[in-house]
Amino acid sequence: VQSKLPAAKEIARKIRQFSVLVDSCEGVDQLIAFMESQGDGVKFGVYVDIDNGYHRTGFDPHNDQSIEAVKRLVACPHLVLQV
């Protein structure tokens, strides 16, 4: 995730709206840290991948760490939760 964020930001500068998909607590932490370090007003939309029961990808909706990670996304002024 971390290595792709600078390229994603360059795309976001060139188009009107840009969104990323986050599927892990680690991804949330990396995304927030990157966006907060930039300080240039660029925002990303964020989609949250929810584990639908197959346990392959996504946040477990019954896991407290997952819930807290999504709350951190919502609170970050550089990110806009997409629904």
Side-chain angles (χ1 to χ4, degrees):
V1 172
Q2 206 166 21
S3 64
K4 296 179 181 181
L5 290 173
K9 186 172 179 198
E10 287 306 312
I11 294 169
R13 284 184 206 270
K14 295 175 183 176
I15 62 176
R16 187 170 178 261
Q17 184 175 358
F18 183 79
S19 298
V20 295
L21 175 73
V22 179
D23 65 356
S24 69
C25 294
E26 181 182 71
V28 168
D29 294 339
Q30 291 175 3
L31 181 58
I32 290 173
F34 176 78
M35 295 303 285
E36 288 179 346
S37 74
Q38 300 302 298
D40 60 2
V42 174
K43 291 186 178 188
F44 284 180
V46 180
Y47 289 94
V48 176
D49 183 14
I50 304 297
D51 181 350
N52 61 4
Y54 292 104
H55 310 296
R56 292 180 299 187
T57 65
F59 290 94
D60 178 350
H62 306 291
N63 179 290
D64 290 339
Q65 283 182 307
S66 294
I67 302 300
E68 290 304 314
V70 174
K71 285 181 181 179
R72 289 195 308 275
L73 280 175
V74 171
C76 182
H78 309 287
L79 303 170
V80 179
L81 188 65
Q82 303 292 303
V83 292

